[in-house]
Amino acid sequence: GCETVVFGASTSVVTTNATTLVPPPGIQVSSGNSFTVAVMLAQVEEARRKMGIRRDARLAVVGAGGNIGSAIVRWFAQQGRWHGPILITGRPGSRARLSELQAELEAFSSTPRIEISENINDLQSCDLIVVAISGDGVVLQSHHVDPFRTVLVADVSQPRAVAASLA
């Protein structure tokens, strides 16, 4: 029988990340965010290796203050996973939330620099960009990415947040 139920789409919003659900005994329940993060990380790691992007490159997580974005950046910041600088970004007004995340990451990470930005133009210097936002439409355009370097852009946003020209 079934041991785990993973909800999808926007169910994390209506179930408070599946915490308001009472599953039957022996059944685990997830909002789907953890599954989304796991799948995204596996795909990003495979693409990064194929493209030759090293672990000491500059990484950005757009939407790092959200559930999915913060989980992604926590994974990369764990000891030994990422050796280059990490830029955590969010929408204007998210600096306090990003600062809390920065302090948390710096407490356990071996990453040399964890920087904060609310300016999407700061992505120009990044080699790997993970976008994890919701509801803002397309925020990452081709002019935000350096055209003279190899850049991996991964979008886990709903709806899509990366311009078709970067796909």
Side-chain angles (χ1 to χ4, degrees):
C2 177
E3 296 176 4
T4 304
V5 175
V6 180
F7 290 88
S10 297
T11 57
S12 64
V13 175
V14 296
T15 65
T16 316
N17 292 320
T19 60
T20 58
L21 302 173
V22 181
I27 303 292
Q28 297 178 2
V29 177
S30 170
S31 69
N33 288 349
S34 54
F35 183 70
T36 298
V37 170
V39 170
M40 169 56 75
L41 290 170
Q43 291 175 339
V44 165
E45 278 297 287
E46 181 180 348
R48 180 194 61 76
R49 282 191 297 275
K50 284 181 180 178
M51 292 176 69
I53 296 174
R54 298 168 29 126
R55 290 177 185 252
D56 61 353
R58 185 171 171 81
L59 162 71
V61 178
V62 179
N67 288 340
I68 292 173
S70 63
I72 289 169
V73 77
R74 283 182 180 101
W75 186 87
F76 277 110
Q78 287 180 9
Q79 292 289 343
R81 288 215 172 115
W82 200 257
H83 306 291
I86 298 176
L87 176 65
I88 55 176
T89 70
R91 65 185 68 182
S94 63
R95 184 163 293 277
R97 191 172 192 177
L98 294 173
S99 293
E100 289 176 16
L101 179 60
Q102 179 187 37
E104 174 193 329
L105 298 173
E106 288 175 339
F108 72 81
S109 176
S110 59
T111 300
R113 264 190 351 259
I114 298 172
E115 303 164 359
I116 295 173
S117 176
E118 295 175 316
N119 185 346
I120 198 151
N121 292 315
D122 291 340
L123 300 176
Q124 275 278 329
S125 62
C126 296
D127 305 288
L128 172 54
I129 303 169
V130 179
V131 184
I133 66 168
S134 62
D136 286 343
V138 174
V139 297
L140 186 63
Q141 303 284 346
S142 57
H143 65 273
H144 296 125
V145 177
D146 186 343
F148 300 107
R149 68 187 326 141
T150 299
V151 179
L152 171 58
V153 177
D155 186 12
V156 69
S157 306
Q158 289 300 323
R160 183 177 181 87
V162 174
S165 61
L166 291 172

